[in-house]
Amino acid sequence: MSGRIEVILADITTLDVDAIVNAANERMLGGGGVDGAIHRAAGPGLLEECRAHAEVLPGVRCPPGEARLTGGHLLRARWVVHTVGPVWTGGDAGEPQILASCYRSCIDLAVRAGARSIAFPAISTGVFGYPMDRAASIGAGQLVSGLARHPSVERLIACCFDAGTKALYDRLLQVMGQGGAFT
Ligand code: APR
């Protein structure tokens, strides 16, 4: 295994990576939170490209747990991987499995496109209400297994929007034996 996991404190729209992940909704037509920030930074071409994705059900371009790829448009990132996290309703409605599937689907799709560096926000932890500690432990676990699954990946990045989230990810990855950058 030659890749590494990084935990950073940043606005994901500013990152110089191959792909950034968007915590979108099923319609894929923008929203608030990180979704709104990505659409603002990427410009209207991103919305156009999202709209062109086929609906798999009326109003659903991406079901929860799946991922869809677009270009990065005005972003530094070449691609945006849109995923739809679970809405937290207490944890007994498959939320952990859906959240894990988001990370897995995003990594697999981005790698298939050729990405070697992929940055993730903390999917579902804002508007969708997933408790940060539980979401981060799933996210960290999926970054570790994603790296093991894809030898071509150079960097998987947990892009944290606040210091508390970064400290949480740092601690979890340390416990998993993956603290800091490693080769
Ligand atoms: N960079 C990195 N992380 C960010 C940024 C940013 N620019 N902006 C917000 N975040 C963080 C939030 O702090 C939160 O921890 O992203 C995490 C996810 O929060 P949301 O963006 O609210 O995403 P989510 O909980 O998955 O809800 C998705 O929100 O805006 C809508 O269209 C979106 O309906 C969808 C829903």
Side-chain angles (χ1 to χ4, degrees), residues 3 9 20 27 30 37 51 75 80 87 117 121 131 133 150 153 168:
L9 183 59
I20 65 169
R27 286 158 48 81
R51 207 186 290 280
L75 295 167
V80 178
V87 176
S117 52
D133 53 342
H150 294 294
V153 167
L168 186 57

Side-chain angles (χ1 to χ4, degrees), residues 27 29 51-62:
R27 286 158 48 81
L29 298 179
R51 207 186 290 280
H53 271 267
E55 294 187 2
V56 293
L57 288 169
V60 179
R61 292 182 178 77
C62 182

Side-chain angles (χ1 to χ4, degrees), residues 28-43:
M28 279 179 65
L29 298 179
V34 72
D35 194 6
I38 289 173
H39 274 273
R40 274 193 302 278

Side-chain angles (χ1 to χ4, degrees), residues 88-110:
W88 178 259
T89 59
D92 293 329
E95 294 96 324
Q97 291 76 15
I98 297 169
L99 187 59
S101 171
C102 288
Y103 282 91
R104 209 164 38 238
S105 304
C106 287
I107 293 171
D108 293 354
L109 182 58

Side-chain angles (χ1 to χ4, degrees), residues 10-12 23-25 30-35 37 121-128 132 161:
D11 172 351
I12 201 165
N25 58 51
V34 72
D35 194 6
I123 301 162
S124 277
T125 63
V127 174
F128 282 178
M132 182 61 85
F161 208 44

Side-chain angles (χ1 to χ4, degrees), residues 6-19:
E6 292 173 18
V7 182
I8 62 171
L9 183 59
D11 172 351
I12 201 165
T13 64
T14 65
L15 298 184
D16 187 10
V17 291
D18 293 337

Side-chain angles (χ1 to χ4, degrees), residues 5 20 34 37 53 70 100 102 104 116 128 131 136 143 145 166 169-170 172 175-176 180:
I5 295 172
I20 65 169
V34 72
H53 271 267
T70 66
C102 288
R104 209 164 38 238
R116 289 169 181 265
F128 282 178
L143 296 188
S145 61
K166 181 178 183 300
Y169 260 97
D170 280 334
L172 284 163
V175 170
M176 292 175 189

